[in-house]
Amino acid sequence: MQDLTPGARLRSSFMATDTAVRKDSRGVSYLSLKLVDRTGSIDARMWGLPEELLKGLPSPTYVDVEGHAHEYRGTLQVKVERLRVLRLEELSEVDYLPATEQNRQAMAEEVMLAGRGFENEHLKDLFELMVSDEQFWKAFCEAPAAKGMHHARIGGLLEHSVSCLRIAHALAQLYPVDQDLLLFGVVFHDVGKVHELSWGGGGFAYTTEGRLLGHVVLGERLVSSYVAALPGFPEELRLRISHVLLSHQGETEYGSPERPKTLEALLVHLVDNLDARAAMYLETTTNVSPGGWSHHANPLGRALYVPDEPERENPGENA
Amino acid sequence: MQDLTPGARLRSSFMATDTAVRKDSRGVSYLSLKLVDRTGSIDARMWGLPEELLKGLPSPTYVDVEGHAHEYRGTLQVKVERLRVLRLEELSEVDYLPATEQNRQAMAEEVMLAGRGFENEHLKDLFELMVSDEQFWKAFCEAPAAKGMHHARIGGLLEHSVSCLRIAHALAQLYPVDQDLLLFGVVFHDVGKVHELSWGGGGFAYTTEGRLLGHVVLGERLVSSYVAALPGFPEELRLRISHVLLSHQGETEYGSPERPKTLEALLVHLVDNLDARAAMYLETTTNVSPGGWSHHANPLGRALYVPDEPERENPGENA
Amino acid sequence: MQDLTPGARLRSSFMATDTAVRKDSRGVSYLSLKLVDRTGSIDARMWGLPEELLKGLPSPTYVDVEGHAHEYRGTLQVKVERLRVLRLEELSEVDYLPATEQNRQAMAEEVMLAGRGFENEHLKDLFELMVSDEQFWKAFCEAPAAKGMHHARIGGLLEHSVSCLRIAHALAQLYPVDQDLLLFGVVFHDVGKVHELSWGGGGFAYTTEGRLLGHVVLGERLVSSYVAALPGFPEELRLRISHVLLSHQGETEYGSPERPKTLEALLVHLVDNLDARAAMYLETTTNVSPGGWSHHANPLGRALYVPDEPERENPGENA
Amino acid sequence: MQDLTPGARLRSSFMATDTAVRKDSRGVSYLSLKLVDRTGSIDARMWGLPEELLKGLPSPTYVDVEGHAHEYRGTLQVKVERLRVLRLEELSEVDYLPATEQNRQAMAEEVMLAGRGFENEHLKDLFELMVSDEQFWKAFCEAPAAKGMHHARIGGLLEHSVSCLRIAHALAQLYPVDQDLLLFGVVFHDVGKVHELSWGGGGFAYTTEGRLLGHVVLGERLVSSYVAALPGFPEELRLRISHVLLSHQGETEYGSPERPKTLEALLVHLVDNLDARAAMYLETTTNVSPGGWSHHANPLGRALYVPDEPERENPGENA
Amino acid sequence: MQDLTPGARLRSSFMATDTAVRKDSRGVSYLSLKLVDRTGSIDARMWGLPEELLKGLPSPTYVDVEGHAHEYRGTLQVKVERLRVLRLEELSEVDYLPATEQNRQAMAEEVMLAGRGFENEHLKDLFELMVSDEQFWKAFCEAPAAKGMHHARIGGLLEHSVSCLRIAHALAQLYPVDQDLLLFGVVFHDVGKVHELSWGGGGFAYTTEGRLLGHVVLGERLVSSYVAALPGFPEELRLRISHVLLSHQGETEYGSPERPKTLEALLVHLVDNLDARAAMYLETTTNVSPGGWSHHANPLGRALYVPDEPERENPGENA
Amino acid sequence: MQDLTPGARLRSSFMATDTAVRKDSRGVSYLSLKLVDRTGSIDARMWGLPEELLKGLPSPTYVDVEGHAHEYRGTLQVKVERLRVLRLEELSEVDYLPATEQNRQAMAEEVMLAGRGFENEHLKDLFELMVSDEQFWKAFCEAPAAKGMHHARIGGLLEHSVSCLRIAHALAQLYPVDQDLLLFGVVFHDVGKVHELSWGGGGFAYTTEGRLLGHVVLGERLVSSYVAALPGFPEELRLRISHVLLSHQGETEYGSPERPKTLEALLVHLVDNLDARAAMYLETTTNVSPGGWSHHANPLGRALYVPDEPERENPGENA
């Protein structure tokens, strides 16, 4: 869906959400809906409704759709020409959950490579212990990074961790920081999401444990349990790891019981924040056309602009 | 010192702090200082300074003092007549740390009685395990509840816990609450202070662990470690205990990673807040005379009023 | 309605609010509504709609209903089988206003008993003057404590006052407080609601006076008018009463022109806050099943948890 | 003191405050002090201290001073050449309290003229009743408008009221407002200051009643007591007057129990705010030279700029 | 529409917005809509719907309406008896945009008169340069002052500027202010709206430039471009003008990069704020009847009261 | 000074600030001062004061010092043995202003290299125009980045710009961003500091223009003036550059009139924030020993921790 351009034809199956029958400015009824699949979502409209669609559709429904893409007020939209409701027997719900477009295997290897390069033996052992816990590692590579703010997709936690890891590599060249602890911190700062969220056929949701304890404490507790399994782990390092995990939200009002007080903790928070906000921009503007504006209602809380085509800026470029 | 009344004579040894030589409105030099002992503190002034006092005193110094109490602008004060500096060999510094005036033994027994009355076998076992850990229990009965906000004295944590316990007994009659969990929660909500603070000869201070992790997480972690030692402890109860401990600050900006979401957690927070604020009033106004006002600079952030003598209100009462 | 359990049959008349005709996931129309009576409210659904219900129902309507209760996503709900619209001639609207389930007579006596026990003659006289003003006292015993936040029911103000009174009795044992003033304060802190709100057939609403002056000032003014009728009332006590009433919201942003500056004023605020928040929890979770979560949209502004059955926690209890 | 210009000689008596002996950059001792009289205050320095001044001066002291004014880092300052300490018997303390430079008699008449022009008979009667209460009217014309924020001088409340009155006259031409109520409101919005503050020989201070109840409620109560003495006063008008007085702080966090909800209340608040902030600017920059900046520590919380001389801006003007 | 009174007949054409078909308390369908024309807007209802209206109307539609006005719950409303949908060919959309009721020509002359009276030659030249730029001056006299908060109508910016100008004339009598700069500032403080907003047939909207740079900077940049065209313009005056324009929002959170630090800047901000808030009150309560309350959802964020008729207050007046 | 270790001898000249004569706990007088040179600052103490030092030293004074470094409560300090006051004729004040320790020539070249690599011809031309304006470029390479928050040293603006540039290079690999605009933005986001601040012999200060307009607007205006000199510069690109510069503070309360609404603007803000906060940590902890804590009073508003030596963490490492 990411590759749709105005004019392109579309024929595929989707999860349909936010369904409603409305009237246009001429008084004609049409079906308004959102089409979701692994690669993202897009708004759609259907006119010329057959009788059985005039009364609307439940949300979500799974549908087979034919139509084509076009631009409407600066945002890409699908005009549906044919629509068939699928029965649950025809499909596997999990296929329609949004999922990362990145290669999860490659991302997992990038993380492993970083951990195996640690010079600090204790952090290296801790890292090795964690990635060799198969059940944990599978969950970490599958989990979404959030229910809705950013990276809310299968593999989203891994994707966010890898982005943070790449930024951290650059920072380690710049500041007199404990590189191993910084890398460990950016990779696992959100590890508590693995217990805070659930991701099954029914979509992404908070667990009861997640709502009562929160991912900040759950993550610190999880890593501490691996540390406890390593005899001779230095107390000072244990404290510094726990501090990085507990303080990564940056401010108490965002759920960190303490604010960052070491350089590694400060940088982990800042890198997390940077990648999260960049993702909010990118995910909000996915379907906005060049020169257009997004809606106000998004995690950044303001309308966002997608600049006009660079070609128009640089007319002399092709000369 | 608590029993001082205007006109009373005073002869005792104290820790002298906030020492300074100043000039009065006639231009005469005097020594301004604060006298501290286990029972509290009081402002003092000394005129007619001998040569060796004219150049001032370090803070803190330990001193033997003779003088008498009088009221100055609505606050009790000591006028010092004789003052002798003590040598460290003559004293034991810890004797001068502020300490609770309550009977620590009796308070400890009141807590034990409550715990041993629990109907929930799991909570009862957990409670028993904690109080029978001698090192922990000794620390819990000795610790201050804070470095400065309220109950900042040896035994202050126990004193605060017992006050909360008494209020919780009343609430358990009023609301459909899990009484055992409520009582357990109010007694141990601040248990992390045992690791967050240190209290030795040099006064009350934060530990490095306390500043990096905070008493909220340290307390939850401590109790969880006792729970882990109890086989068959119900998962749901474990979650609810952790939630009570983590959320007791009430709002994230005060350092709780989650806000209270169960009735027990909500009440523990509210009882803690009630007793803390009452203590702030009482500790701020200790030396303020009836009809007088405290300074603005106190944990409640406003001048506090001590009402005028009831006798003056009810002149007809004795008729 | 409070005693409904999953599976129970229901046959009674209610006020129906929040009515809407919707379609379920199979596309079948159903009526969604809320059933309200004196004892509370519950969500309901009706399928197999007769022609005259397909176009919906005004809100509120008074209805006779047959159906049974069941649990849906952790919240108790009614499945309606038969529904008959009542004509206004058939009913008395006020019978359907939510009302306290407590015995109002008994609560009023509990308040009287407290006031008649005052040692301070002036406060005792003031109290007596107020409860012997029949019109006032009737209004005080009838009024809701709020339009919607908590205790929004006939007799709710009295119920809230009595809860606060019981807590205050416990606090008077704990702190060196003027007990009579504390008890007077908790009983009458919200007395201005009597003029701020109206409660007639049309439900609970703000009066114009209430919106222009607010219950804080209206309450202080009302009590001051009784004080003015008592010759020789001490000025100091008058000030302290007014201060308790004016400052009971605790902070200026919640509508108190001054913050609490005496111990009695501080405690009245804290007790009010404690009981109000406990009521918010209890009223929000009335129909939530054990192990379930409430919606976010409630006066506490967060999803609330109703712990799972204690039976599961205490398996040994029945042994 | 207002007319001082750089180079001018000065010989007069003052209250000296903020006195301190300091050393300059060459290590020479000097006396730093503030000279206060009815017309304002100014910073001063004295070098070549006689023996009895080397040990400093109490604050406040009353002094006879000779010296001359000069500019130092953009602010006017006095260099003291001779200084004699006055005995209390030689002076009347109240002569040294800052006082308005405006003609209080003329301002009082301007207020009276406005009130006597009211078309609304009820407001006219109320106004007449208030100004004919001699004790009240004397206090109103004498009171400062604040302890320190703005118009903190004898007659300051009257001065602030007259400024607001003049602005209100302009607004009454502009908006469809009840002119009489607007004028009444701007004149008496701060009338509670008469009871909130005391102004005697010892300077400006809060009364106990002022700290417990605040000027907002005290003012509304005072005006209501006059209204109560007028039979047949319309209830609606009484409500609107009370609302204007209670809401004049504009927002609850500044101590108004309700925000302005009528046009008159809204405008009274906005006019009060406008004149108060203009006064803060003017009082803060009294001694700042053209092209200079004030300190940050003032009621507006920012450094304020006094533009450079217009002559320098318009050099061609005189050509 | 402004002159409508209960009972009056109405026959005119409007833009119809917020259209919806609803059911009343008897279950009868009616059309709910808002009627807009140059003079304002009013809520309307139509019963006895012909077949083609039962399915609703697009929003906006242009309609010819017959009906009469009446009061409903304290707000004026129109009961529509006949309604005919107009075709776009029959009308000019811009005729239905809300527009000022004031005489734009007269207001423009009032501004010019002020500018031509400036004593400061530089400000006078600047003013003359601006008003003689025909394209700019036409836009300034046409622009709305906002998209929705206040003065959101053709000519609204001019109307707001003139109101501010009149208030500023009064303030210039009261404070030692640079009168020319104050008048220039209040007239042109919002001049950036000319580029921030667009106003065509499709209503009022933000431009892309407006959303990326904001009217505060756009205004300062626009005036600076005129200043740059005036040789010999004093640098100090240029700075002071820029400061007035940049700081007029008063606080950084409202979009001013610096807070007001000169008296002129402070007063421009306060006058802007005063007139904006008065307009919010007046525009919100346009159709509210005496003794009635507006909705909460308006730019002032609270229900607003329209006092009851003065006649009712002063029954003795006609005697 | 950066290379000082406990025990090292020191013999050099410094600017001495924060000078004061105090008494130690034995009552002996000592001189407390801060020693500043280009490389940083350090606290110092001197005992055994000669007569002429007993009366103190002005601040700042320039001094020749002999002594040695030692650790006191976790912070490095100098114990002064000999101290000679220098005369102004003996020194050049500017030599004592803090200055970057980085090679300014190399940093300037790193910036130039980046700009000359731009693919966008317009940005490349703009960049070239700016760096070839010798007066501007010299000022840019000399200016401090702030008066006190971070990088407050000669060359500090360049140092901050280069750090941001390096981070931006990494981000350009990660996000689909306009790389040239991102690099241009991070290099010049704070360019307005060149006019907002002055840096001469008397230290770092705000200019009047800086306080009235602020570096955000001054920077945008400066770059716009270069853009205006380039014919054919695309309007869209001009808008995007201005938006990046105006929004780089991230939130309006920090002085940006608009929040970032393009990806480049968002990233420039986040990179600026990241490097600024890292610098605050590093500059605050310069003299804190491993295992020690800084004071609370620093730009991050919390005590900061310098972790204990890694050697102690990894005891097995050397085995």
Side-chain angles (χ1 to χ4, degrees), chain E residues 36 43 96 102 112 274 289 292:
Chain E
V36 182
D43 287 330
Y96 295 86
Q102 310 296 314
M112 294 233 212
L274 194 157
S289 309

Side-chain angles (χ1 to χ4, degrees), chain C:
Chain C
M1 201 182 306
Q2 304 284 51
D3 310 321
L4 273 184
T5 49
R9 283 205 60 77
L10 178 90
R11 178 167 187 171
S12 186
S13 64
F14 300 94
M15 177 165 63
T17 66
D18 301 353
T19 54
V21 174
R22 301 209 178 103
K23 285 208 169 67
D24 66 14
S25 59
R26 300 155 306 156
V28 180
S29 292
Y30 67 94
L31 179 70
S32 161
L33 68 168
K34 187 175 269 190
L35 300 174
V36 182
D37 71 5
R38 315 207 86 188
T39 69
S41 70
I42 192 166
D43 286 332
R45 300 281 181 275
M46 181 179 189
W47 275 264
L49 299 179
E51 187 68 21
E52 73 276 15
L53 286 181
L54 268 173
K55 59 176 192 209
L57 272 179
S59 171
T61 313
Y62 297 89
V63 295
D64 226 32
V65 153
E66 263 183 81
H68 65 265
H70 65 112
E71 194 183 314
Y72 177 70
R73 292 196 181 161
T75 301
L76 208 64
Q77 210 176 65
V78 168
K79 186 163 183 184
V80 177
E81 281 135 25
R82 234 158 280 197
L83 180 154
R84 184 174 68 88
V85 174
L86 300 171
R87 282 163 302 146
L88 284 182
E89 304 88 79
E90 295 182 77
L91 55 91
S92 156
E93 277 188 274
V94 80
D95 291 346
Y96 295 86
L97 276 181
T100 181
E101 305 228 325
Q102 309 297 315
N103 181 328
R104 275 156 61 189
Q105 182 62 28
M107 291 193 292
E109 276 162 21
E110 186 170 343
V111 168
M112 294 235 212
L113 197 66
R116 285 171 182 159
F118 287 173
E119 291 187 8
N120 181 313
E121 290 300 323
H122 298 290
L123 274 174
K124 197 171 174 179
D125 291 352
L126 175 58
F127 182 88
E128 200 61 51
L129 187 63
M130 290 177 70
V131 303
S132 62
D133 176 341
E134 278 184 34
Q135 192 184 349
F136 161 72
W137 187 241
K138 179 168 176 297
F140 183 79
C141 294
E142 246 181 47
K147 185 161 169 269
M149 296 292 279
H150 65 95
H151 294 101
R153 48 186 174 262
I154 294 294
L157 177 59
L158 182 58
E159 203 178 334
H160 177 43
S161 297
V162 166
S163 272
C164 290
L165 178 60
R166 292 182 189 171
I167 301 171
H169 273 301
L171 300 186
Q173 307 304 310
L174 204 53
Y175 304 117
V177 72
D178 180 331
Q179 172 166 336
D180 292 351
L181 182 51
L182 175 65
L183 299 188
F184 184 89
V186 295
V187 167
F188 289 124
H189 71 280
D190 263 350
V191 70
K193 302 273 184 176
V194 160
H195 292 320
E196 186 188 43
L197 299 172
S198 67
W199 56 97
F204 305 146
Y206 285 101
T207 62
T208 282
E209 187 177 31
R211 292 213 254 192
L212 288 177
L213 309 188
H215 84 276
V216 172
V217 165
L218 287 171
E220 189 271 343
R221 178 191 279 185
L222 181 64
V223 173
S224 287
S225 72
Y226 289 109
V227 168
L230 292 169
F233 202 89
E235 174 62 13
E236 168 90 5
L237 182 58
R238 188 185 69 71
L239 262 183
R240 290 169 67 196
I241 294 171
S242 287
H243 178 64
V244 163
L245 294 167
L246 287 174
S247 69
H248 83 266
Q249 298 284 91
E251 297 291 334
T252 55
E253 50 265 56
Y254 303 129
S256 271
E258 296 289 337
R259 293 189 291 166
K261 295 172 180 174
T262 62
L263 184 55
E264 293 79 20
L266 191 65
L267 291 177
V268 166
H269 158 62
L270 290 164
V271 168
D272 173 19
N273 185 49
L274 194 157
D275 186 57
R277 288 177 172 264
M280 289 173 192
Y281 177 91
L282 291 169
E283 296 173 14
T284 298
T285 56
T286 307
N287 292 322
V288 177
S289 309
W293 288 87
S294 77
H295 288 288
H296 273 82
N298 64 63
L300 287 168
R302 70 198 87 159
L304 299 171
Y305 183 59
V306 175
D308 218 343
E309 291 301 315
E311 288 75 22
R312 299 185 208 168
E313 279 165 18
N314 306 313
E317 215 173 21
N318 308 316

Side-chain angles (χ1 to χ4, degrees), chain E residues 184-255:
Chain E
F184 184 89
V186 294
V187 167
F188 290 124
H189 72 279
D190 264 350
V191 70
K193 302 275 185 175
V194 161
H195 292 320
E196 187 189 41
L197 298 171
S198 67
W199 55 96
F204 305 145
Y206 285 101
T207 62
T208 283
E209 187 177 31
R211 292 213 255 193
L212 288 177
L213 309 188
H215 84 276
V216 172
V217 165
L218 287 172
E220 190 271 342
R221 177 192 279 185
L222 181 64
V223 173
S224 288
S225 73
Y226 288 109
V227 168
L230 293 170
F233 202 90
E235 174 64 12
E236 168 91 4
L237 182 58
R238 188 186 67 73
L239 261 183
R240 289 170 66 196
I241 294 171
S242 287
H243 179 64
V244 164
L245 294 167
L246 287 174
S247 69
H248 83 266
Q249 299 285 92
E251 298 290 335
T252 55
E253 49 266 56
Y254 302 129

Side-chain angles (χ1 to χ4, degrees), chain D residues 154-218:
Chain D
I154 295 294
L157 177 58
L158 182 59
E159 205 179 335
H160 176 44
S161 297
V162 166
S163 271
C164 290
L165 178 60
R166 292 181 190 172
I167 302 171
H169 274 301
L171 300 187
Q173 306 304 310
L174 204 54
Y175 305 116
V177 71
D178 180 331
Q179 172 167 334
D180 292 351
L181 181 52
L182 175 65
L183 299 187
F184 183 89
V186 293
V187 167
F188 290 124
H189 72 278
D190 264 351
V191 71
K193 302 272 185 177
V194 162
H195 292 320
E196 188 188 39
L197 299 172
S198 67
W199 56 97
F204 306 146
Y206 286 101
T207 63
T208 283
E209 186 176 32
R211 291 213 257 192
L212 288 177
L213 309 187
H215 84 276
V216 172
V217 165
L218 287 172

Side-chain angles (χ1 to χ4, degrees), chain B residues 174-194:
Chain B
L174 204 55
Y175 305 116
V177 71
D178 180 331
Q179 172 167 334
D180 292 352
L181 181 52
L182 175 65
L183 299 187
F184 184 89
V186 293
V187 166
F188 289 124
H189 71 279
D190 263 351
V191 70
K193 302 273 185 176
V194 161

